[in-house]
């Protein structure tokens, strides 16, 4: 290309990933161009149209978005609509805006550092903090898997009329079946699951057109924040927990590493922009589906119903929600199609949870477990509380467990969110690709808003429970002595993560132009390595390459 390239004091650390694959963990490359060639572009053979380049990055955002349509989301949406009509739609709007921001930050972190969030956490934090964050991340994966277990059990109950607790046990076998089907083509299986999920979305949109909710009330609920009592606060937290899940941040930052991104300034900028567009499109579709579910539930449950349907709305669960679609599909057909789509929703979310758990374990512990073993272990742990609750409390108790799992995810969120916000705003982590001042302000305000709501609800709900508890005073004192220190530790941990100064540099210095990158690749190959840090250990992700 005619450029003179000088590598001064280049430090290149090679790490082995997978089987014989090399990855550049850090490098410092200084490149000087002649002024005559400073504006030179690729040859025509290396040029691609914008759409073709964009399509090569499509995949991670849509796979992540499936987690925003899992049974936990459907359960919280249905209950929010049945209990508060459109009042909590603003929570979904704020949650989705926040999701777009933080998912794009997770993608940017992976692209700019060549590492996913768990790996950056491991390199940055002391050993004790690292293990604490790993345990919390594993708990988040398990909490996210509980709705998938119960949702699958509900689907089997609707289809075959088997008890919910038996369906919970069968979910372990459904996991094995799913893994077996993946061997015959994961992409085809995921496409089938996505089609079934969107079939259910089409059903709710069709029912929405039948129910005809008032547009003015919808927009009021979407843009005028309102919480009617402590019950609404709990449901709002459950909605946020179901929408913005901590394990998704680890997952998205890893999925983007399956794409080959030139380590040039323009290459990184293009990748970050394309991932933002893709995830925004996917999450906007998920937002519309969530709004449709809340609107259908709110409209129908607020209308004149038969005594039986009114009683169902008073304690609406995934297992009883199929009657919402009977106006469009009929009672029997609607129930069957709803159950099949619910089954698909749970299984598609299982895929995202399995990958998230795999990358969390690999990132924090340098341990890579076989996919089938990892999936089976997570599912067995999630089955235990689901089985106990479904036996004792039946369908109603299992439905409430989904809400509890969503609240756990919301309380877990700071321990993935705060490191992501700090890393993505740090020069030593992101270099020139760190967050702008506007994004820093918006993301931190939204983040601390959610964290503040969590802490407020946790403290007020617990104090209220102690005051109105029927337990003996000695038991109340014992519980208070046990729980209040845990709440203090929670707050201290959040403060520590927020104000701790980052010290480890993970940013990979890019070359200045794509043309130089071509020369960089050639010179790199002459030394026996690739200067593009392509993650071969993540290349087996079932996405279009």
């Amino acid at each position: 290309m005619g450029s003179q390239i000088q590598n001064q004091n280049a430090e290149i650390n090679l790490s082995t990933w997978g089987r014989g694959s090399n990855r550049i963990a850090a490098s410092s490359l200084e490149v000087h161009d002649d002024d005559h060639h400073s504006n030179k572009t690729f040859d025509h053979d290396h040029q691609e149209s914008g759409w073709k380049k964009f399509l090569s990055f499509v995949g991670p955002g849509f796979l992540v978005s499936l987690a925003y349509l899992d049974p936990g989301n459907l359960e919280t949406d249905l209950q929010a609509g049945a209990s508060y009509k459109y009042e909590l739609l603003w929570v979904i709007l704020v949650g989705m805006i926040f999701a777009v921001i933080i998912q794009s930050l997770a993608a940017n972190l992976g692209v700019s550092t060549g590492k996913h969030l768990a790996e950056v956490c491991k390199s940055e934090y002391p050993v004790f903090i690292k293990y604490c964050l790993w345990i919390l991340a594993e708990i988040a994966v398990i909490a996210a898997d509980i709705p998938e277990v119960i949702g699958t059990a509900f689907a089997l109950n609707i289809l075959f009329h088997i008890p919910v607790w038996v369906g919970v046990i069968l979910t372990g076998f459904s996991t094995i079946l799913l893994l077996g089907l993946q061997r015959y083509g994961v992409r085809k299986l995921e496409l089938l699951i996505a089609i079934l999920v969107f079939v259910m979305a089409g059903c709710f949109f069709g029912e929405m057109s039948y129910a005809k909710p008032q547009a003015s009330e919808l927009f009021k609920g979407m843009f005028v924040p309102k919480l009617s009592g402590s019950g609404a606060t709990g449901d709002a937290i459950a909605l946020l927990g179901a929408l913005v899940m901590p394990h998704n941040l680890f997952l998205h930052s890893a999925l983007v590493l399956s794409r080959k991104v030139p380590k040039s300034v323009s290459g990184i900028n293009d990748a970050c922009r394309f991932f933002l567009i893709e995830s925004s499109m996917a999450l906007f579709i998920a937002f519309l589906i969530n709004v449709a579910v809340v609107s259908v539930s709110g409209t129908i449950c607020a209308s004149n119903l038969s005594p039986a349907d009114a009683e169902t709305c008073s304690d609406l669960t995934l297992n009883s929600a199929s009657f919402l679609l009977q106006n469009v599909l009929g009672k029997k057909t609607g129930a069957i199609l709803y159950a099949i789509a619910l089954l698909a929703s749970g299984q598609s979310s299982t895929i995202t949870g399995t990958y998230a758990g795999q990358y969390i374990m690999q990132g924090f512990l340098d341990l890579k477990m076989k996919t089938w073993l990892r999936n089976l272990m997570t599912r067995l742990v999630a089955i235990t509380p689901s089985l106990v609750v479904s036996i004792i409390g039946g369908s109603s108790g299992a439905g409430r467990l989904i809400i509890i799992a969503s609240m756990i995810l919301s309380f877990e969120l700071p321990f993935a969110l705060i490191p992501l916000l700090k890393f993505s705003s740090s020069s030593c982590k992101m270099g020139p690709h760190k967050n702008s001042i506007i994004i820093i302000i918006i993301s931190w305000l939204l983040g601390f808003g959610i964290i503040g709501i969590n802490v407020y609800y946790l403290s007020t709900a617990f104090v209220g429970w102690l005051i109105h508890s029927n337990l003996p005073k000695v038991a109340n004192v014992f519980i208070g002595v046990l729980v209040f220190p845990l709440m203090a530790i929670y707050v201290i941990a959040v403060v520590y993560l927020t104000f701790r100064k980052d010290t480890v540099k993970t940013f990979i210095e890019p070359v200045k132009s794509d043309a130089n990158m071509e020369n960089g690749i050639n010179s790199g190959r002459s030394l026996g390595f690739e200067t593009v840090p392509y993650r071969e250990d993540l290349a087996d992700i079932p996405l279009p390459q």
Side-chain angles (χ1 to χ4, degrees):
M1 303 291 291
S3 300
Q4 295 180 353
I5 301 179
Q6 298 176 348
N7 296 336
Q8 298 178 349
N9 300 323
E11 296 181 358
I12 301 172
N13 298 323
L14 298 179
S15 300
T16 302
W17 298 90
R19 295 185 178 179
S21 59
N22 294 327
R23 178 174 72 87
I24 298 180
S27 64
S28 177
L29 301 175
E30 185 176 351
V31 184
H32 299 281
D33 293 329
D34 293 330
D35 293 338
H36 179 70
H37 298 286
S38 60
N39 295 322
K40 204 167 186 179
T41 60
F42 279 122
D43 292 334
H44 178 73
D45 292 340
H46 295 284
Q47 292 178 340
E48 292 182 306
S49 66
W51 276 108
K52 187 175 181 181
K53 290 175 66 176
F54 170 70
L55 291 176
S56 67
F57 289 92
V58 170
F62 280 91
L63 183 58
V64 168
S65 70
L66 288 177
Y68 291 82
L69 299 171
D70 72 339
N73 283 95
L74 298 178
E75 174 80 16
T76 53
D77 289 345
L78 291 168
Q79 293 201 7
S83 301
Y84 304 99
K85 204 174 180 181
Y86 317 128
E87 183 178 307
L88 297 182
L89 282 176
W90 67 272
V91 179
I92 296 178
L93 177 61
V94 172
M96 281 301 180
I97 292 174
F98 189 45
V100 170
I101 294 174
I102 64 171
Q103 294 296 162
S104 65
L105 296 186
N108 293 351
L109 179 70
V111 170
S112 299
T113 64
K115 296 182 177 182
H116 54 78
L117 181 57
E119 292 174 325
V120 181
C121 287
K122 180 194 173 186
S123 65
E124 177 61 42
Y125 293 113
V127 174
F128 176 74
I129 303 300
K130 177 189 73 173
Y131 281 111
C132 289
L133 292 177
W134 168 66
I135 292 172
L136 290 170
E138 293 287 359
I139 292 174
V141 173
I142 293 169
D145 201 48
I146 288 175
E148 276 80 73
V149 170
I150 297 176
T152 302
F154 282 163
L156 296 175
N157 175 261
I158 296 171
L159 288 172
F160 306 110
H161 305 288
I162 61 176
V164 174
W165 67 270
V166 176
V168 168
I169 296 176
L170 292 177
T171 56
F173 296 99
S174 72
T175 300
I176 298 174
L177 176 62
L178 177 69
L179 291 170
L181 292 176
Q182 287 179 0
R183 303 182 64 179
Y184 297 97
V186 178
R187 298 178 194 172
K188 295 178 181 179
L189 178 63
E190 289 184 350
L191 178 61
L192 174 62
I193 290 174
I195 290 174
L196 293 174
V197 171
F198 283 105
V199 165
M200 182 173 63
C203 295
F204 276 100
F205 281 121
E207 184 68 28
M208 188 176 177
S209 65
Y210 176 87
K212 294 181 173 60
Q214 292 185 4
S216 59
E217 291 189 23
L218 281 178
F219 283 109
K220 182 180 178 181
M222 196 175 297
F223 295 104
V224 180
K226 182 180 179 182
L227 291 173
S228 301
S230 59
T233 304
D235 284 350
I237 291 176
L239 272 176
L240 286 175
L243 286 170
V244 186
M245 291 176 282
H247 72 284
N248 255 4
L249 306 183
F250 293 101
L251 176 63
H252 203 174
S253 63
L255 290 176
V256 298
L257 296 177
S258 66
R259 299 305 193 264
K260 293 183 179 179
V261 178
K263 285 300 170 183
S264 63
V265 173
S266 61
I268 293 175
N269 286 337
D270 286 345
C272 291
R273 183 173 68 254
F274 289 147
F275 283 131
L276 172 61
I277 294 172
E278 183 230 10
S279 60
S280 298
M281 292 169 56
L283 291 176
F284 180 69
I285 295 172
F287 167 74
L288 293 179
I289 295 174
N290 280 275
V291 169
V293 175
V294 173
S295 301
V296 168
S297 175
T299 304
I300 294 179
C301 287
S303 60
N304 294 324
L305 297 174
S306 65
D309 288 342
E311 184 179 355
T312 301
C313 277
S314 65
D315 189 18
L316 192 62
T317 66
L318 287 175
N319 201 31
S320 59
S322 60
F323 87 96
L324 297 174
L325 303 178
Q326 63 186 3
N327 292 320
V328 173
L329 301 170
K331 188 173 182 179
K332 185 176 180 180
T333 304
I336 293 175
L337 190 58
Y338 170 82
I340 293 174
L342 181 60
L343 183 65
S345 173
Q347 294 306 308
S348 63
S349 301
T350 296
I351 295 174
T352 61
T354 299
Y355 285 128
Q358 180 66 63
Y359 301 134
I360 288 170
M361 183 175 292
Q362 174 260 324
F364 280 109
L365 306 180
D366 283 334
L367 177 63
K368 188 171 183 180
M369 186 179 293
K370 291 183 178 180
T371 304
W372 69 267
L373 183 59
R374 168 74 209 191
N375 198 336
L376 192 58
M377 285 182 60
T378 302
R379 181 51 57 91
L380 289 176
V381 174
I383 280 176
T384 303
S386 305
L387 181 61
V388 172
V389 172
S390 61
I391 291 175
I392 297 175
S395 299
S396 179
R400 282 192 290 271
L401 182 60
I402 292 180
I403 302 296
I404 294 173
S406 298
M407 293 179 67
I408 291 173
L409 288 172
S410 188
F411 290 126
E412 289 260 356
L413 183 61
F415 302 105
L417 176 61
I418 292 177
L420 175 63
L421 293 180
K422 290 197 68 178
F423 295 158
S424 61
S425 303
S426 172
S427 296
C428 68
K429 295 292 188 295
M430 302 286 289
H433 304 285
K434 69 177 184 178
N435 296 337
S436 65
I437 296 298
I438 296 177
I439 295 298
I440 290 175
I441 293 174
I442 293 175
S443 59
W444 278 100
L445 284 177
L446 288 171
F448 273 107
I450 293 176
I451 294 171
I453 292 174
N454 288 345
V455 173
Y456 170 79
Y457 180 78
L458 179 66
S459 57
T460 56
F462 179 68
V463 171
W465 179 81
L466 279 182
I467 293 174
H468 299 94
S469 174
N470 294 324
L471 295 175
K473 290 184 178 181
V474 176
N476 285 342
V477 171
F478 178 77
I479 293 173
V481 170
L482 180 65
V483 174
F484 277 116
L486 294 177
M487 294 172 61
I489 292 173
Y490 180 90
V491 175
I492 292 171
V494 170
V495 172
Y496 169 82
L497 291 176
T498 302
F499 293 101
R500 181 187 182 278
K501 185 178 180 180
D502 296 340
T503 58
V504 178
K505 181 178 179 180
T506 57
F507 172 65
I508 300 175
E509 196 72 33
V511 296
K512 294 184 178 179
S513 70
D514 290 329
N516 290 329
M517 194 62 200
E518 288 297 296
N519 289 333
I521 290 177
N522 292 333
S523 61
R525 284 175 179 166
S526 67
L527 296 176
F529 58 82
E530 292 283 346
T531 58
V532 179
Y534 174 56
R535 294 292 299 273
E536 292 187 17
D537 61 317
L538 303 179
D540 60 347
I541 296 174
L543 296 170
Q545 302 293 334

